[in-house]
Amino acid sequence: MPASSLVKTINNLSGTLGIECDALDNSTNTATCHFKQKDLLTLFPPSGLTLSGCSFGECVRQSVIDTGGSIATSDAASGKALSGGVIAGLAVVGGLAFFSLALIVAGCILQRKARKTRRSDGSGMKVDVYWEGITYSVPGSSKAGFLGLFGDHEEKTILDNVSGNVQAGQMMAILGPSGAGKTTLAEILAGKRKSGAVLGNVKFPSSGGSSGNSAPRIAFVPQQDVLPPTLTVYEALLFAARLRLPENIQVIEKREMVEELMAKLGISSLRDVRIGHSDGGGKARGISGGEMRRVSIGLDSVSASRVAQVLHDIAHDPVNPIPVIASIHQPSSKLYQSFDSILLLSHGRALYSGLGGFAPSDYFARVASDVVPAYPAGYNVADYLLDIASDPNVSLFQISEKDQPRAKVVEPVDGESGIELVEKGRPLASSDEQVNVASESTSRVPAANSQRQITYATTFLTQLEVLAGREWKILRRDKTLFLTHVAVASVLGVFCGGLYYKTDTTIAGFQSRVGCLFFLGALIAFSSLSALYNVVESRPLFLRERSSLYYSPTSWLTSRFIFDVVPLRIIPTIIVSSVTYWMAGLAPDAAHFFKFLFILVLFTLAMTLFNFLLGALFQNGGVAILISALTALYQMTFAGFFVHLNDIPPVLRWLQWLCPLKYTLEALSVNEVGSGLLIEDTLQGVPVSISASLIMNMLFGFGSNNYYRDVLVLFAFIAGFAVGVIGVVWLKVRERR
């Protein structure tokens, strides 16, 4: 048969082309295939065009065939191209980094300027304390209504129209039985936030010295103080001195002041002893309860005389006399005689306010001899007054209102400042909100109309430096949490790596690879719960120190974040990820490994800040932990591993966009297939070799070009959670009494 050219015939083929292949020859891994089309069947009857030795590979698009396969290079190039949105996002991240650097430089300049500021001389300045008509009430029990929710609430009055004054150089004792309102009055005078309604007027007129117009700094010691248990006595006092004394006082001078104070309090021998936990409970004990009270300059029955003597010397300082007010219950006769003035309370009302010593007994003998027993000679005057206040005759209150001298109203002088207290249903200005009011009378105006100004003795960088030093000491001395995280990360890394050891490149193997990545993300989501616990545990100390103007909330958050994230989040994440990555046989090159670590670190930061937000938002740690655990389960559901993202019902599909784990898993998967991973498997006896990106999209719905988009979204979560934490701590996490 003569040879003929079939080029024209093949080029003019049209219609449907069918392909039928015979059984696979396992020895050569090839088969014989028949191409069937009406013209081919005419030319090559009866089976059409037969080709032998056919092998099987990946199905490709028509465009690849049309261009002779040269499209592969273009695809790779297009996969690396960055969209305009990604470039804009990277520009925003770079701008934020530059802005942060600028803030650090500005902080250094302000710190240096503050340390070179000329120290103001406050010698001779005197500040008095006057209060008039202080009334405090809280909501009581409900009269009626279902479960007490809808009925009317009776107000319970804790203080009722209490007035008095203490001049500079005087020390006043507030006496009264339990429940008389002693502590409440002291807290109101100190400017502490109260949960009830406060009425009245408090003034701090000053004279002499360079007082200026600033409000006075108030030192307040609560009944139950909170101290850092891992610090020594000296370190705790030095911490307070470095933050509460002005920036321009050298650190060496502050150290000398601390040593002098310890000597006065009689605790020099405890200089290097850790404070410890006073409640025991299996935790390390340190100093005793009485010694702990002296560290916080508080009064207790054991050390009261020594502390009272120190306070007496401070109050009667010949150069800088100050007023001292102490709430005390059942003082000894010696301790009672150390006070210059006395305020006696009973049922929230003042029975006596005036000089101390025997003046109270003489007062009651003069104005109420018919309703109170006579003072027995030699009897402790304090006990005598408490006997009167424990069960007072109703007429005593009427006598007190008529005969007691009222707190005199002073004309405004240079440096006068005060707190006008007329609030209903909102807390009083706390001591970290120093209020300056210029008023010529005692007219009551809302405190919200006053000029509120928060001033700290030190700059932000100094606060951060001192806080970081304390956090470092705590971390070095209590390594339990850090070592636990490292040990758990090591064990889980080996476990996860062994579970997915040398995962193959079949379709099932690829699903296992994504499962390994999902496991790491879920592990980080649950392990970050300890960050929430750390915030809840440190909240009481933060509230106490913030109310005393030790530092700003931002500096505290920054130090907590640094010393929580680096040792407890990033280091364990790197350990578990590195061990798992190489044991599981993921993309074996450095570039993809570090991109893998980068994504997990971003997710760690996001989850840590999220748990910080929950810890700050909820006072009840149990509620915060429950919400965090449920959120982790929600993220696992919408991450795309258990349910294909496109198969989620439209009414719920939007929830995936609020899931940080979804973006993390997608970025990790894209990074893995971006290494050129090919799936090599056998389907129904036919070998296939196909790009892993196609399987990824088919099984999980992930986009092959979404890596940098996911990075920016994780940055957005980090920024959003950070702003939320700062806002909640500044506005909500305040001391309320």
Side-chain angles (χ1 to χ4, degrees):
M1 182 177 179
S4 61
S5 176
L6 298 177
V7 174
K8 183 177 179 181
T9 302
I10 294 176
N11 289 338
N12 292 328
L13 290 176
S14 61
T16 304
L17 175 67
I19 302 175
E20 293 181 358
C21 295
D22 298 338
L24 182 69
D25 185 356
N26 294 327
S27 61
T28 61
N29 204 30
T30 61
T32 299
C33 295
H34 310 277
F35 292 81
K36 295 183 178 182
Q37 192 261 351
K38 61 179 182 177
D39 295 330
L40 292 178
L41 290 173
T42 303
L43 292 172
F44 306 101
S47 301
L49 179 62
T50 302
L51 299 177
S52 60
C54 297
S55 59
F56 303 93
E58 179 181 356
C59 295
V60 296
R61 298 188 299 271
Q62 182 65 38
S63 59
V64 178
I65 299 175
D66 295 340
T67 56
S70 61
I71 196 66
T73 304
S74 300
D75 280 347
S78 64
K80 295 181 180 179
L82 299 181
S83 65
V86 170
I87 294 175
L90 292 175
V92 171
V93 172
L96 290 176
F98 178 78
F99 179 71
S100 301
L101 182 61
L103 287 180
I104 294 176
V105 173
C108 293
I109 295 174
L110 291 176
Q111 184 186 53
R112 185 169 182 174
K113 182 180 178 181
R115 291 180 176 178
K116 290 184 177 181
T117 302
R118 184 177 179 181
R119 192 181 306 177
S120 61
D121 184 12
S123 301
M125 185 178 71
K126 297 181 179 180
V127 179
D128 302 330
V129 183
Y130 289 87
W131 62 96
E132 184 175 24
I134 300 298
T135 300
Y136 177 67
S137 57
V138 295
S141 58
S142 176
K143 291 182 179 179
F146 179 70
L147 298 178
L149 297 177
F150 306 106
D152 296 331
H153 292 269
E154 293 181 345
E155 284 194 346
K156 180 180 180 181
T157 301
I158 308 299
L159 292 174
D160 186 8
N161 197 30
V162 178
S163 302
N165 68 87
V166 181
Q167 298 181 357
Q170 289 187 343
M171 188 164 69
M172 168 181 275
I174 304 178
L175 297 177
S178 299
K182 304 185 298 296
T183 302
T184 301
L185 177 61
E187 291 171 349
I188 291 176
L189 296 180
K192 296 298 177 181
R193 283 181 170 266
K194 303 298 292 181
S195 57
V198 183
L199 297 174
N201 181 26
V202 178
K203 284 183 173 292
F204 302 96
S206 60
S207 61
S210 55
S211 58
N213 293 321
S214 61
R217 296 185 65 85
I218 301 173
F220 177 79
V221 180
Q223 284 184 326
Q224 295 180 344
D225 206 358
V226 182
L227 297 172
T230 55
L231 296 187
T232 65
V233 172
Y234 173 77
E235 290 169 345
L237 292 175
L238 181 61
F239 177 85
R242 292 187 64 183
L243 291 178
R244 296 210 66 191
L245 294 177
E247 183 95 47
N248 52 16
I249 298 180
Q250 298 295 325
V251 176
I252 188 171
E253 296 182 60
K254 296 179 180 179
R255 294 180 184 273
E256 293 174 354
M257 294 178 184
V258 171
E259 297 282 4
E260 181 181 355
L261 178 61
M262 292 174 61
K264 289 182 178 180
L265 294 173
I267 53 177
S268 296
S269 59
L270 305 173
R271 184 184 189 279
D272 299 320
V273 179
R274 296 186 190 180
I275 295 174
H277 298 269
S278 60
D279 55 353
K283 299 180 179 180
R285 285 295 300 266
I287 59 179
S288 67
E291 293 165 340
M292 190 176 296
R293 296 299 300 166
R294 276 182 273 173
V295 174
S296 59
I297 323 296
L299 293 177
D300 71 309
S301 58
V302 177
S303 58
S305 297
R306 179 185 291 271
V307 176
Q309 184 59 47
V310 173
L311 294 176
H312 186 275
D313 295 340
I314 293 175
H316 294 81
D317 188 291
V319 179
N320 294 308
I322 64 172
V324 175
I325 302 175
S327 169
I328 189 168
H329 186 69
Q330 289 185 325
S332 64
S333 180
K334 179 181 178 181
L335 180 60
Y336 169 81
Q337 295 297 334
S338 64
F339 290 95
D340 302 295
S341 57
I342 300 296
L343 174 61
L344 181 63
L345 296 179
S346 177
H347 301 292
R349 304 176 68 177
L351 295 180
Y352 174 82
S353 178
L355 296 175
F358 292 98
S361 59
D362 296 339
Y363 166 79
F364 285 112
R366 185 179 71 255
V367 302
S369 58
D370 55 337
V371 294
V372 299
Y375 168 71
Y379 194 63
N380 185 354
V381 179
D383 291 338
Y384 172 71
L385 296 178
L386 289 175
D387 290 341
I388 295 176
S390 297
D391 188 20
N393 191 291
V394 177
S395 60
L396 278 179
F397 296 110
Q398 300 173 350
I399 295 174
S400 176
E401 292 176 355
K402 180 177 63 176
D403 295 339
Q404 279 282 33
R406 312 308 298 168
K408 63 181 181 180
V409 179
V410 295
E411 295 298 324
V413 295
D414 292 340
E416 179 180 4
S417 60
I419 304 177
E420 303 292 343
L421 313 177
V422 179
E423 304 209 21
K424 185 71 174 178
R426 66 184 304 274
L428 186 63
S430 66
S431 62
D432 62 347
E433 298 180 8
Q434 299 182 1
V435 184
N436 298 333
V437 178
S439 174
E440 297 183 0
S441 66
T442 57
S443 60
R444 299 176 178 179
V445 297
N449 295 334
S450 305
Q451 299 177 356
R452 300 189 178 189
Q453 181 182 4
I454 301 176
T455 57
Y456 298 100
T458 55
T459 60
F460 173 82
L461 282 186
T462 300
Q463 296 170 14
L464 183 59
E465 175 188 348
V466 177
L467 283 166
R470 182 173 73 176
E471 294 293 338
W472 174 243
K473 289 186 179 73
I474 293 175
L475 184 64
R476 284 193 300 112
R477 293 172 183 175
D478 188 3
K479 305 182 182 68
T480 306
L481 194 57
F482 172 70
L483 294 179
T484 302
H485 273 79
V486 171
V488 169
S490 302
V491 172
L492 288 178
V494 174
F495 171 79
C496 185
L499 185 64
Y500 298 100
Y501 184 73
K502 297 299 180 183
T503 305
D504 56 33
T505 57
T506 62
I507 295 179
F510 178 74
Q511 193 166 6
S512 296
R513 287 172 182 260
V514 179
C516 176
L517 302 177
F518 175 80
F519 177 85
L520 292 175
L523 173 64
I524 292 173
F526 280 105
S527 62
S528 61
L529 279 170
S530 61
L532 190 155
Y533 171 77
N534 290 343
V535 174
V536 173
E537 187 180 42
S538 60
R539 177 196 285 261
L541 182 61
F542 166 71
L543 291 176
R544 197 266 291 180
E545 292 176 341
R546 179 188 180 181
S547 67
S548 300
L549 292 179
Y550 278 60
Y551 44 73
S552 69
T554 307
S555 59
W556 176 76
L557 281 173
T558 305
S559 66
R560 288 295 307 165
F561 183 73
I562 292 174
F563 283 89
D564 185 278
V565 166
V566 175
L568 303 181
R569 315 294 159 207
I570 294 182
I571 292 179
T573 296
I574 292 176
I575 292 175
V576 67
S577 302
S578 300
V579 174
T580 302
Y581 190 91
W582 298 109
M583 289 185 66
L586 302 181
D589 60 276
H592 288 87
F593 170 68
F594 285 110
K595 289 171 70 175
F596 163 84
L597 280 184
F598 180 61
I599 291 296
L600 288 180
V601 168
L602 289 182
F603 183 60
T604 298
L605 296 179
M607 287 297 92
T608 301
L609 286 170
F610 174 71
N611 283 283
F612 270 32
L613 178 61
L614 292 180
L617 198 58
F618 297 96
Q619 295 185 9
N620 190 322
V623 173
I625 291 175
L626 175 62
I627 294 178
S628 180
L630 292 177
T631 303
L633 292 176
Y634 148 72
Q635 292 195 75
M636 294 169 63
T637 302
F638 288 89
F641 182 73
F642 293 127
V643 181
H644 194 286
L645 297 177
N646 296 331
D647 292 338
I648 301 175
V651 69
L652 299 176
R653 193 174 300 168
W654 61 273
L655 291 173
Q656 64 176 295
W657 309 119
L658 304 178
C659 178
L661 183 57
K662 180 260 182 185
Y663 300 99
T664 300
L665 183 59
E666 183 178 51
L668 293 175
S669 301
V670 171
N671 177 64
E672 182 65 17
V673 303
S675 63
L677 181 65
L678 289 177
I679 301 300
E680 298 178 351
D681 205 344
T682 301
L683 298 178
Q684 297 181 349
V686 178
V688 295
S689 179
I690 188 170
S691 173
S693 61
L694 180 63
I695 300 297
M696 178 185 69
N697 183 267
M698 181 176 65
L699 294 181
F700 307 106
F702 297 152
S704 58
N705 295 324
N706 288 348
Y707 179 85
Y708 291 103
R709 185 207 68 173
D710 295 335
V711 168
L712 292 179
V713 172
L714 288 175
F715 267 113
F717 274 113
I718 292 172
F721 290 146
V723 171
V725 170
I726 294 174
V728 169
V729 171
W730 268 101
L731 301 176
K732 187 177 183 297
V733 185
R734 296 176 178 272
E735 187 180 48
R736 297 179 184 271
R737 294 175 174 270

